[in-house]
Amino acid sequence: MFRFKQFTVVQDHAAMKVCTDACLFGALIETVNHQNILDIGTGTGLLALMMAQKNQNAVISAIEIDNEAVIDTKYNIENSPFSSKIELFHTSIQEFRQNKKYDCIISNPPFFQNNLKSPDLARNKALHNHSLTLSELAKIIGQLLEPGGDTWILLPPYEMSVFRAEIQNFGFAPNKKFVIKHAPSKAPFREICCFSRLNDGNCTAEVINIYESGQYSARFVELLKDYYLIF
């Protein structure tokens, strides 16, 4: 169980647990002007709950294919203050059918494309892209995102470069990029990018260190202070 300031995430069944980079991802996503948000592969519901907390005018559709993860997600949503704002869909995104488009799509997709798979089948599905390739994800975002909408994606650096090439085929370009490092001396291990169709070709970039001088960095504290109990 992971307790946040306004909600709790139970993770007894989900293969992928709450992790620091996912929390940072949720904190960085900008939702101020968005009304309809789609969370592809919601897992425990963490990102959907973070979006509901930061934008209480938005309606969030949360998609999850895994049977076990859905048990946790359903409980977490129903026992949060935001249950009326989040609708959970137990389906694959390929089979998801809604008669609307979204002005914001977020995803922390399966990303280990080339790594050896673990013996844990549920963790495999959460980590490896055999159930949702980056090419499929780019195409689906192109279909479901409104022309002026934004899509926010969390991936390791190599996989982000693959995804960037795929989504450019649908007219998207990055307008914000965050390079995530455990510490200043460490190599980047995640990238967070916001893509849109409507931009001037300029992309702002920021390096965020989770730790500096052996403790959480000031930037990390600033981003997570509305969520983490320790701040």
Side-chain angles (χ1 to χ4, degrees), residues 91-107:
T91 184
S92 69
I93 188 60
Q94 294 94 330
E95 296 177 348
F96 178 60
R97 298 290 182 269
Q98 282 285 92
N99 293 321
K100 68 175 180 181
K101 291 194 174 184
Y102 294 85
D103 53 15
C104 183
I105 296 177
I106 65 175
S107 185

Side-chain angles (χ1 to χ4, degrees), residues 212-225:
E212 291 177 355
S213 303
Q215 59 186 4
Y216 284 122
S217 68
R219 179 65 167 135
F220 184 85
V221 173
E222 175 192 10
L223 288 165
L224 274 299
K225 63 181 173 22

Side-chain angles (χ1 to χ4, degrees), residues 173-193:
N175 54 47
K176 292 183 178 66
K177 175 181 176 180
F178 300 90
V179 177
I180 312 303
K181 302 169 71 174
H182 285 297
S185 62
K186 301 294 186 181
F189 76 107
R190 295 287 184 271
E191 288 186 5
I192 294 167
C193 286

Side-chain angles (χ1 to χ4, degrees), residues 2 5 25 45 55 64 94 101 108-109 127 173 188 192 199 201 213 225 227-229 231:
F2 202 111
K5 287 184 176 178
F25 181 39
N55 183 352
E64 179 54 52
Q94 294 94 330
K101 291 194 174 184
N108 178 8
L127 281 176
I192 294 167
N199 62 59
S213 303
K225 63 181 173 22
Y227 302 96
Y228 276 21
L229 291 171
F231 301 147

Side-chain angles (χ1 to χ4, degrees), residues 13 64-72 90 125:
H13 300 85
E64 179 54 52
I65 188 175
D66 186 74
N67 296 334
E68 295 297 303
V70 164
I71 298 172
D72 290 337
H90 182 191
K125 185 180 290 185

Side-chain angles (χ1 to χ4, degrees), residues 34-127:
H34 298 309
Q35 299 297 315
N36 294 292
I37 300 171
L38 176 63
D39 179 12
I40 299 175
T42 194
T44 59
L46 169 67
L47 293 177
L49 290 163
M50 293 182 77
M51 296 308 98
Q53 177 179 323
K54 71 166 57 182
N55 183 352
Q56 297 188 25
N57 294 318
V59 175
I60 297 112
S61 299
I63 310 295
E64 179 54 52
I65 188 175
D66 186 74
N67 296 334
E68 295 297 303
V70 164
I71 298 172
D72 290 337
T73 313
K74 186 173 186 293
Y75 179 90
N76 293 334
I77 291 170
E78 290 178 349
N79 288 277
S80 77
F82 315 115
S83 57
S84 64
K85 296 293 184 180
I86 305 173
E87 188 173 6
L88 175 62
F89 296 88
H90 182 191
T91 184
S92 69
I93 188 60
Q94 294 94 330
E95 296 177 348
F96 178 60
R97 298 290 182 269
Q98 282 285 92
N99 293 321
K100 68 175 180 181
K101 291 194 174 184
Y102 294 85
D103 53 15
C104 183
I105 296 177
I106 65 175
S107 185
N108 178 8
F111 49 71
F112 291 137
Q113 299 190 108
N114 302 313
N115 293 29
L116 292 175
K117 296 183 179 181
S118 78
D120 186 332
L121 294 178
R123 187 172 173 82
N124 272 343
K125 185 180 290 185
L127 281 176

Side-chain angles (χ1 to χ4, degrees), residues 157-175:
Y158 170 74
E159 282 77 10
M160 185 64 83
S161 68
V162 173
F163 180 77
R164 186 181 300 116
E166 293 289 351
I167 202 165
Q168 283 176 351
N169 293 327
F170 300 94
F172 289 86
N175 54 47

